[in-house]
């Protein structure tokens, strides 16, 4: 494989990682805001579960569920 082709593949992999990391950060920031405004634990859980359902990609959804688990455990 030529270096130019290999570089493009590496760039695509990095772009994908950056996009997913941005989604993780946005989700964590949303959790923070929801946590700050929730008046009860039940309210918080209902809102964050609704937020999690907004994500359709199963791979990122698993990662976001892991972030949520850190908060609710």
């Amino acid at each position: 494989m030529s270096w130019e082709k290999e570089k493009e593949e590496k760039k695509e992999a990095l772009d994908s990682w950056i996009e997913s990391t941005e989604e993780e950060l946005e989700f964590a920031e949303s959790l923070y805001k929801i946590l700050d405004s929730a008046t009860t634990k039940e309210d918080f859980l209902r809102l964050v579960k609704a937020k999690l359902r907004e994500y359709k990609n199963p791979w990122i959804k698993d990662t976001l569920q892991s972030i949520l688990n850190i908060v609710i455990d």
Side-chain angles (χ1 to χ4, degrees):
M1 173 184 307
S2 74
W3 174 236
E4 291 305 315
K5 175 80 172 151
E6 189 175 346
K7 281 191 334 185
E8 284 306 311
E9 288 179 0
K10 292 178 185 307
K11 286 180 183 179
E12 288 173 11
L14 285 170
D15 286 341
S16 178
W17 181 84
I18 290 167
E19 288 175 20
S20 67
T21 303
E22 286 173 349
E23 284 184 292
E24 291 171 21
L25 182 55
E26 288 170 5
F27 183 72
E29 290 171 345
S30 294
L31 290 182
Y32 191 95
K33 289 176 185 173
I34 293 169
L35 182 60
D36 195 39
S37 66
T39 56
T40 66
K41 185 175 182 176
E42 292 77 20
D43 187 37
F44 170 72
L45 292 173
R46 180 181 54 78
L47 292 169
V48 296
K49 287 178 182 178
K51 184 68 176 171
L52 185 60
R53 282 193 294 274
E54 293 176 13
Y55 294 86
K56 302 303 179 202
N57 179 330
W59 181 81
I60 190 68
K61 199 168 185 174
D62 285 345
T63 302
L64 299 180
Q65 181 65 56
S66 297
I67 294 169
L68 178 56
N69 291 342
I70 292 168
V71 176
I72 61 175
D73 284 344

